[in-house]
DNA sequence: GTCTATAGGACGATAGAC
DNA sequence: GTCTATCGTCCTATAGAC
């Protein structure tokens, strides 16, 4: 059984699973639904994953890793100013949430459905992503762009961004980039 | 069958259901768990509610109604300034989320599990609550306390507040009131 | 209003052929 | 690596006695 590999095949199956998990939630997504989406029968699914939990683990690992990579790239490419870094981080976060609309959303919204071992294994990855955020927030605080408690500011900002998943309409007039600008303008009191 | 009444008995059962829905999520809360919490057998539960869906509907109706009542009371009792109203609204919101820790949380986090008819029936109540928020945000914008798009500001603020459910520790050093102060300070740029 | 008992179905997962 | 077939379990909901 191909457990714990990361073949292109498994990656593709993971991608398809993420889509269903976002649409219906983990608990309501059956292995039969997953198999149908993948074009195989439900029994065949267990050749690729040990059990349903392992699919969730794969999706969340993929989603967090991807968010981490994209955020790092965004920070590398932008100006070194505290404001530019804040903008870049918010934009990257929203794009992984609202444009991909898949694995990163599952990582945020289905985290509680992980069993304890998987949560333990993935918490380091999640912590690394949050550390990136806190570093950017620290810079903004040091630059006097924003004020307040580092821990709370980081969580309020991430909360505002994470909640967009619930109301954002991709067919509407605003892009993820617009949202990032508006949020940063709101907390820094500069014009959008 | 006592469907659609609001006896004290049914209210109490609804309150107990809310607790389980918060702890395990709606999908993972079985009717057997609900019945046990209520001190009856699972078959007896259907004397009080037509089906499991109706329990969720009752919880979410209760949670939203309660949040609405508490928010209105908080607005009535506070100073009439835009800042005081913003504070009062945020504090009321957090207290229904973090102190009760039950029905309002279910209303926010299990909304998608409602069937279409129930969602239709409850959307007016939810809209009334959000209208309260938007009125308060409007005042703050008019007073120059904050800047930006009314729709976006309201959703960012509610998102930051709603997400607290995921990380807030009631045993920690901060009260819901502290959180409300810090958030308002962050977006108005006044000291907490 | 609560009980016992169970119907009837969906679910996750396995076995073994190909 | 995929199939068919199915096992055993758990679930929501019902029926009928008390």
């Amino acid at each position: 059984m191909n457990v714990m590999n990361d073949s292109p095949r498994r990656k593709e199956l993971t991608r398809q699973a993420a889509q269903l998990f976002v649409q219906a939630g983990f608990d309501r997504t059956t292995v039969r639904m997953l198999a149908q989406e993948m074009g195989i029968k439900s029994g065949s699914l267990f050749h690729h994953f040990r059990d349903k939990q392992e699919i969730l683990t794969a999706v969340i690992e993929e989603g967090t890793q991807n968010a981490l990579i994209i955020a790092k790239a965004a920070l590398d490419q932008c100006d070194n100013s505290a404001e530019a870094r804040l903008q870049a981080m918010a934009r990257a976060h929203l794009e992984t949430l609202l444009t991909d609309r898949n694995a990163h959303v599952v990582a945020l919204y289905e985290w509680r459905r992980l069993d304890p071992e998987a949560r333990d294994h993935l918490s380091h990855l999640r912590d690394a992503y949050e550390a990136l955020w806190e570093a950017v927030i620290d810079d903004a605080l040091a630059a006097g762009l924003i004020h307040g408690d580092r821990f709370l500011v980081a969580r309020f900002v991430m909360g505002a961004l994470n909640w967009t998943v619930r109301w954002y309409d991709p067919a509407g007039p605003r892009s993820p980039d617009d949202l990032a600008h508006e949020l940063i303008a709101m907390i820094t009191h500069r014009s959008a």
Side-chain angles (χ1 to χ4, degrees), chain A:
Chain A
M1 191 173 309
N2 295 333
V3 164
M4 284 288 136
N5 73 8
D6 54 346
S7 62
R9 176 82 165 124
R10 186 174 154 116
K11 257 230 159 105
E12 169 66 7
L13 297 179
T14 301
R15 206 189 57 77
Q16 291 174 310
Q19 190 181 344
L20 289 183
F21 289 164
V22 168
Q23 283 169 15
F26 175 71
D27 288 333
R28 297 211 177 172
T29 303
T30 69
V31 297
R32 286 169 176 82
M33 288 163 68
L34 288 162
Q36 185 168 38
E37 182 77 12
M38 296 167 181
I40 56 180
K41 299 294 180 181
S42 69
S44 309
L45 203 154
F46 295 92
H47 177 77
H48 302 281
F49 301 93
R50 189 195 333 265
D51 53 24
K52 198 187 165 193
Q53 261 290 321
E54 198 185 70
I55 307 179
L56 179 61
T57 305
V59 169
I60 292 185
E61 179 160 21
E62 161 81 10
T64 310
Q65 202 115 52
N66 195 243
L68 195 55
I69 290 168
I70 288 183
K72 277 181 176 166
L75 290 177
D76 279 352
Q77 287 166 15
C78 75
D79 289 355
N80 217 12
S81 75
E83 187 165 8
R85 287 164 60 79
L86 202 53
Q87 287 276 3
M89 194 69 191
R91 186 174 58 243
H93 191 88
L94 284 179
E95 273 166 8
T96 59
L97 280 183
L98 305 176
T99 306
D100 292 4
R101 268 196 167 271
N102 282 325
H104 194 195
V105 176
V106 175
L108 291 174
Y109 281 89
E110 305 288 350
W111 180 268
R112 299 190 317 155
R113 304 277 83 107
L114 288 171
D115 58 32
E117 307 87 59
R119 211 176 301 174
D120 214 55
H121 172 242
L122 293 175
S123 61
H124 301 89
L125 206 52
R126 192 203 49 184
D127 290 348
Y129 185 71
E130 293 194 355
L132 219 56
W133 259 110
E134 289 184 353
V136 169
I137 297 285
D138 274 344
D139 291 351
L141 288 168
L145 263 182
I146 53 179
H147 307 279
D149 179 271
R150 168 210 205 211
F151 176 88
L152 288 179
V153 169
R155 265 145 198 84
F156 286 148
V157 169
M158 284 194 279
L161 293 172
N162 292 342
W163 200 257
T164 59
V165 171
R166 299 293 183 93
W167 55 265
Y168 180 70
D169 175 13
R174 301 178 181 90
S175 68
D177 193 42
D178 293 336
L179 265 54
H181 269 85
E182 287 268 6
L183 178 64
I184 303 306
M186 185 178 83
I187 65 171
T188 61
H189 273 209
R190 318 217 161 182
S191 64

